[in-house]
Amino acid sequence: ELEIATTAPGPSADNYAAAIFRFMAGVSARYNDICHTQIETMKITTTTIEFTAWQTKTTGVNDNCRPMPLIAPLHSFSGVQWWVTIEKTVQLFLEHESYKRMDFLLPAPTRDRMGFCTRPCSNSQALRWLWLLRYRPDRSQEDIMRLTLPSFRVWIADLADL
């Protein structure tokens, strides 16, 4: 399995995963959407970061299966510019022959989470990674495990109103 290390010159795999999860919250995306998105479609404007999903869930039999834009505003409540991490890591992927044609946004992490493998991150891997990134000594394990990948569509957007 070919691996790409992201510790130098780019952000760590954990930072990239956290940024992708934040992107999902910003676009209210399903995990399936980012699993069907080519990295080469990345577009950054002065106010947004955008990708185009080449496959998405349809809502009816007569739906057109057209590419769906995933557009997140360049906004951060904490001041962390998470989109810069995505931009730098995607540039690393695009420069690497084995990664530049990736049609998913989150590759599987290496065992030490310092880099990526050339395959997509499975739902179960992504969920465990999300829980690991959310861990803090002051949080209960129960609170962390309530967070699921569908949470980005179900309730995370509601937190903006708090």
Side-chain angles (χ1 to χ4, degrees), residues 7-125:
T7 53
S12 74
D14 280 352
N15 288 351
Y16 178 70
I20 288 296
F21 292 133
R22 170 55 183 86
F23 174 76
M24 285 176 59
V27 300
S28 187
R30 295 174 180 89
Y31 186 67
N32 184 59
D33 293 335
I34 71 156
C35 289
H36 297 98
T37 302
Q38 293 176 313
I39 60 168
E40 63 190 18
T41 66
M42 181 179 69
K43 177 181 175 186
I44 298 183
T45 70
T46 56
T47 58
T48 63
I49 182 168
E50 307 172 10
F51 287 94
T52 303
W54 56 267
Q55 178 179 322
T56 191
K57 184 176 180 179
T58 58
T59 57
V61 176
N62 297 323
D63 285 347
N64 257 344
C65 290
R66 56 183 157 71
M68 297 299 296
L70 302 174
I71 303 170
L74 301 184
H75 178 77
S76 172
F77 291 107
S78 66
V80 174
Q81 294 183 342
W82 52 269
W83 55 90
V84 173
T85 299
I86 293 176
E87 183 179 23
K88 287 180 179 180
T89 306
V90 166
Q91 283 300 340
L92 285 173
F93 290 147
L94 291 171
E95 292 169 6
H96 198 283
E97 189 62 34
S98 297
Y99 290 84
K100 69 181 178 183
R101 289 183 190 84
M102 276 188 348
D103 59 356
F104 47 88
L105 295 185
L106 188 59
T110 56
R111 286 189 191 272
D112 62 3
R113 297 187 337 273
M114 296 304 289
F116 298 100
C117 301
T118 54
R119 64 183 183 279
C121 189
S122 70
N123 285 19
S124 59
Q125 282 177 310

